[in-house]
Amino acid sequence: MKRTDQYDPAALKHMEKEFDQWEQNEVSSFIKRAPESKTEYTTASGMPTKRTYTPLDLKNTPFEDIGFPGQYPFTRGPYPTMYRGRNWTMRQIAGFGTARETNGRFKYLIAQGQTGLSIDFDMPTLMGYDSSHAMSQGEVGREGVAIDTLADMEELFDDIDLTKISVSMTINPSAWILYAMYIALAQKRGYDLNDLSGTIQNDILKEYIAQKEWIFPVRPSVRLVRDCIQYGSENMKRYNPINISGYHISEAGSTAVQEVAYTMATTMEYVRTAIDAGVDVNEFGPRLSFFFVSQADFFEEIAKFRAARRVYAKIMREKFNATKPEASRLRFHAQTAAATLTKPQYTINPIRTALQALSAVLGGAQSLHTNGMDEAFAIPTEEAMRIALRTQQIIAYETNITQVVDPLGGSYYVENLTDEIEKEVWKILDEVEELGGTLQCIDDGYFQRGISDSAYDFALRKASGERPVIGVNMFVQDEEDVEIETHPHDPETERRQIERLNKVKDNRDEEKVQGMLKQLKEQAEDESANLMPITIELVKEGASMGDIVETLKGIWGTYREKPVI
C-alpha cells in the first residue's frame, strides 16, 4: 500500500504547538543570554537553514520518495546492501610523462591497495593533437600522460590484467579514440569485451558548459558520444561508455543545486540522442554513470548525492519510460574538491579531503578519488597519493560506517535538505526546457552565465571572510617560501614521446592508413553511421590521435565559443 503521509495529522498539530512553545520559551530566553553568531544561516549554495529540524519538516515528504536502499527512486542508495557487500572502489587518478612512467605509478598504487585505475591525460591528448604538433610544444606529459597511438596504450597497461581491475579514463573531446584504443588493446590480448569494467568520461557537453576543452562544434561532438553509447550497449555489458560529470561544473564555480541540475540537463540530451538513434533505453541506461564533486559543506553534499539519485530515477522512468530498475539507478564516482586545496598551510589539506571523502561515502558513492595534499602546487607525489589512499582506507576499515546502509537516512535535516535540493533542481530543468533545451541553452550561454554568477558570488564571500578558508582568510600564518618536494617534470619526455610516435608512423602501412582515413571521412558525412568500428580498425593499423582528429576537422570544423557577458 502506498503511504504518502508519515505522521498522524493530530500528532503533527500537537508537535507544532510544542515546537512553538519551545521556541518562545527555551530558545528565546537562551538567545537573550547568548546571541547566535549570525542572523541568517545558509548552506554553501545559499539555501536557508533552520536552527532545528523536526518531523514537521518532513510532513509533505511521501515515504516512497525516501524508500529503501536499492529500490526506486534510489534516494538511499543504488544497492540494497551497499558497503556491507563490498566497499566503494578506491580509484586514485594518475597520469604524467610517458605511458611507461604512468604504468609505474599504477603499479605503485595497486601495491598500496588501490582497487581501480583512473587516468589523467596531457593537454595534447585531451585536445586531439599528436605530441609532434606545434600546439603540443611544452605540454607533452606535463599535466597527464601522453597517448598518441595504440603502442602507448599497450605500454600504459603493460603487465596489468584489464579483466581484473576497472579502468576510468578522464578524457572528453577525443574520448572515442581512447575508447577505441582500449578496445583494440583488449582484442589484441584476446579478452572478451564483456569482461572489461570501468568508464570513459566522454561528457562533451559539460566541456562547453564549464571545463572549456573541445575540438568540434557541439552537435557532431554529441554524435560521437552517441556512437560510444551505441557501441558499448551492443558490445561491452560492464563498461560505461560515458561518465556524466557535475564535478567540473562545480569546480568552475556552480552551486550544489546547479551541479545536479546542469548535469541532469546534459543527461537528458544524451539519452534523447541515443533513443533517437534506435538504442533501447533499457539497454544503455544501466551503463550510464556519473561523476560528482564532494565539496566542503558536509551535509549539503550528502543531500546533493541523495537528491541526484532521486531526480535521475524520475527522469529515466517518467520522461524516458525506462522499465528496468537498473536503467533508473544512478551510480557515481566522487572526487574531493581540488578547488578547496590551499598552498598556505598545505599540510592541513588532508583534513579537508578526509571530511569531503566522508560525505561522499555517507552519500553513497560507488568509487572515490581523494586528492593529494600537494595538488595546489603540482601533480601529487607518491607520498601524497599514499596518504590520500590511506584516508579512504581509514574511513572504510576503522570507522564502522560501512556497517549501516544510508546511516543518515531519516535525519530530519538531511531528508529536508534532500527535498529542497530536488525542488530547486526541477525548477532549473523546467527553465531549460522552456528556453529550448540543453543545446539551445549552451548556444545561448545560459549555463555559462549561471556558473559565472555563482563563482563571482563565492569569490566575494571568500574575499570578505563570510566564507571562511582556514589559512587563507582565517587563522592566517606568516610563511616563508614553502619548501615542498613536488612531482618533477622530465624535460626529455617530449623528445622521447615524439621519437616513439615517429617510429610507429615509420613502421605502419601508410597506404592502408590513408585509405582507412578516407573511409572515416565518408562515414562521418553519414549522420547515421557509427564511427567506433572504423576508429578501432584505424588505431590497430597505427593511426595516431592527430591523424583521426585532423581528418574530422576537415569535415566538421572546430568550435568557437560565444563570449558570455
Side-chain angles (χ1 to χ4, degrees):
M1 181 177 177
K2 211 173 186 183
R3 185 178 176 187
T4 56
D5 60 319
Q6 296 190 66
Y7 301 100
D8 177 73
L12 283 173
K13 191 172 182 180
H14 177 71
M15 192 182 301
E16 189 171 7
K17 182 180 178 182
E18 288 202 335
F19 181 77
D20 289 342
Q21 289 176 346
W22 171 73
E23 284 212 317
Q24 292 166 14
N25 297 322
E26 282 91 338
V27 174
S28 179
S29 62
F30 190 85
I31 287 177
K32 286 178 183 176
R33 299 194 307 273
E36 293 177 329
S37 59
K38 292 187 281 187
T39 56
E40 293 182 353
Y41 290 79
T42 66
T43 67
S45 292
M47 301 180 74
T49 56
K50 297 165 63 174
R51 179 182 300 111
T52 305
Y53 288 79
T54 72
L56 294 168
D57 297 292
L58 299 184
K59 64 182 179 181
N60 295 319
T61 302
F63 177 74
E64 54 266 28
D65 266 5
I66 300 172
F68 299 103
Q71 189 178 89
Y72 182 91
F74 306 101
T75 305
R76 303 194 64 192
Y79 304 112
T81 60
M82 290 301 286
Y83 310 131
R84 288 169 68 101
R86 61 185 290 268
N87 288 325
W88 61 93
T89 301
M90 299 179 192
R91 195 189 299 281
Q92 297 301 107
I93 202 164
F96 59 89
T98 64
R100 183 183 298 276
E101 292 169 299
T102 296
N103 176 265
R105 176 66 67 90
F106 286 164
K107 289 173 179 173
Y108 170 81
L109 289 169
I110 291 169
Q112 298 301 313
Q114 176 165 297
T115 54
L117 298 178
S118 186
I119 311 162
D120 249 348
F121 298 92
D122 68 359
M123 284 302 295
T125 305
L126 290 170
M127 302 303 291
Y129 291 113
D130 280 345
S131 295
S132 56
H133 195 284
M135 290 292 289
S136 303
Q137 188 173 0
E139 291 294 334
V140 176
R142 183 174 290 277
E143 294 181 353
V145 61
I147 302 291
D148 291 305
T149 66
L150 179 58
D152 295 322
M153 190 67 87
E154 290 175 317
E155 194 164 63
L156 183 67
F157 294 115
D158 183 49
D159 244 2
I160 296 173
D161 187 343
L162 298 179
T163 66
K164 299 221 172 119
I165 192 163
S166 65
V167 175
S168 173
M169 293 185 276
T170 303
I171 194 160
N172 296 284
S174 55
W176 92 101
I177 302 175
L178 270 295
Y179 191 35
M181 289 181 183
Y182 178 74
I183 291 165
L185 172 59
Q187 290 175 335
K188 187 173 182 179
R189 290 185 179 181
Y191 295 151
D192 181 340
L193 295 184
N194 288 316
D195 289 337
L196 301 177
S197 62
T199 186
I200 188 159
Q201 192 163 107
N202 199 22
D203 177 8
I204 194 62
L205 290 179
K206 72 96 170 56
E207 296 296 331
Y208 302 105
I209 290 171
Q211 189 160 258
K212 313 300 183 182
E213 291 170 2
W214 52 65
I215 301 172
F216 309 114
V218 176
R219 283 150 184 84
S221 296
V222 174
R223 180 255 183 101
L224 291 169
V225 176
R226 176 206 72 185
D227 290 353
C228 292
I229 292 173
Q230 188 172 39
Y231 184 90
S233 69
E234 294 171 357
N235 298 283
M236 304 175 77
K237 300 302 182 187
R238 297 178 61 216
Y239 199 87
N240 306 320
I242 186 169
N243 188 229
I244 308 168
S245 175
Y247 179 92
H248 305 93
I249 292 170
S250 176
E251 291 284 85
S254 83
T255 65
V257 169
Q258 289 171 327
E259 180 190 359
V260 175
Y262 294 0
T263 302
M264 292 302 141
T266 61
T267 299
M268 288 194 286
E269 185 61 36
Y270 294 133
V271 173
R272 285 193 189 102
T273 302
I275 291 172
D276 288 347
V279 190
D280 185 349
V281 69
N282 289 303
E283 290 300 312
F284 73 82
R287 295 267 54 88
L288 300 181
S289 64
F290 290 80
F291 176 23
F292 293 113
V293 74
S294 194
Q295 288 280 5
D297 192 317
F298 189 77
F299 288 109
E300 183 172 54
E301 293 302 290
I302 294 168
K304 176 189 78 178
F305 299 134
R306 301 170 91 251
R309 278 194 294 268
R310 187 189 295 169
V311 170
Y312 176 73
K314 291 178 180 180
I315 287 171
M316 295 300 280
R317 179 182 281 191
E318 296 172 12
K319 289 184 179 291
F320 297 113
N321 302 313
T323 54
K324 270 189 184 176
E326 301 95 313
S328 300
R329 181 179 64 196
L330 184 148
R331 299 161 301 122
F332 75 94
H333 169 75
Q335 180 175 337
T336 55
T340 64
L341 301 177
T342 64
K343 284 185 177 180
Q345 301 181 44
Y346 75 93
T347 55
I348 65 174
N349 283 330
I351 302 165
R352 293 186 173 100
T353 295
L355 292 168
Q356 292 164 13
L358 183 59
S359 70
V361 172
L362 290 171
Q366 278 57 71
S367 67
L368 177 61
H369 165 92
T370 34
N371 292 323
M373 65 179 174
D374 55 2
E375 287 191 51
F377 296 89
I379 288 171
T381 59
E382 284 192 352
E383 181 188 19
M385 279 289 91
R386 178 178 55 81
I387 292 170
L389 179 58
R390 293 287 183 260
T391 301
Q392 293 199 47
Q393 290 165 338
I394 288 170
I395 292 171
Y397 298 109
E398 293 189 10
T399 64
N400 270 351
I401 66 166
T402 59
Q403 292 188 6
V404 177
V405 181
D406 187 32
L408 293 180
S411 156
Y412 305 135
Y413 177 41
V414 170
E415 296 294 1
N416 178 267
L417 189 53
T418 301
D419 291 346
E420 293 305 310
I421 291 174
E422 182 192 3
K423 289 174 190 173
E424 294 303 311
V425 167
W426 284 117
K427 285 180 185 177
I428 292 175
L429 292 176
D430 288 343
E431 186 175 17
V432 169
E433 290 298 304
E434 289 169 8
L435 292 171
T438 304
L439 298 188
Q440 188 62 51
C441 282
I442 290 173
D443 289 343
D444 295 341
Y446 168 84
F447 301 113
Q448 298 92 314
R449 275 192 299 273
I451 293 171
S452 178
D453 289 346
S454 295
Y456 182 64
D457 177 66
F458 179 82
L460 291 178
R461 288 188 288 121
K462 182 177 173 182
S464 70
E466 181 186 343
R467 178 63 179 168
V469 181
I470 305 303
V472 175
N473 61 18
M474 180 178 274
F475 306 117
V476 178
Q477 291 180 352
D478 291 329
E479 293 180 312
E480 302 294 330
D481 289 339
V482 176
E483 290 189 13
I484 176 173
E485 179 190 353
T486 58
H487 178 84
H489 175 67
D490 184 353
E492 288 296 300
T493 294
E494 189 167 325
R495 179 188 61 78
R496 291 197 304 270
Q497 184 65 18
I498 292 173
E499 284 179 358
R500 183 176 177 82
L501 170 62
N502 290 337
K503 185 177 178 181
V504 170
K505 289 189 173 184
D506 289 343
N507 292 323
R508 71 190 186 185
D509 184 334
E510 190 63 31
E511 185 176 347
K512 188 172 184 180
V513 169
Q514 292 304 319
M516 293 177 72
L517 287 170
K518 185 178 178 183
Q519 290 178 46
L520 173 67
K521 187 175 180 180
E522 291 168 354
Q523 291 185 26
E525 290 171 337
D526 177 4
E527 174 63 27
S528 65
N530 188 306
L531 298 187
M532 279 303 300
I534 185 65
T535 306
I536 294 168
E537 294 308 310
L538 270 164
V539 299
K540 285 181 178 177
E541 293 300 324
S544 69
M545 172 83 67
D547 292 330
I548 296 168
V549 169
E550 293 302 322
T551 297
L552 294 179
K553 279 182 181 178
I555 304 169
W556 295 334
T558 56
Y559 178 74
R560 186 177 294 274
E561 185 179 33
K562 295 177 185 176
V564 174
I565 299 174

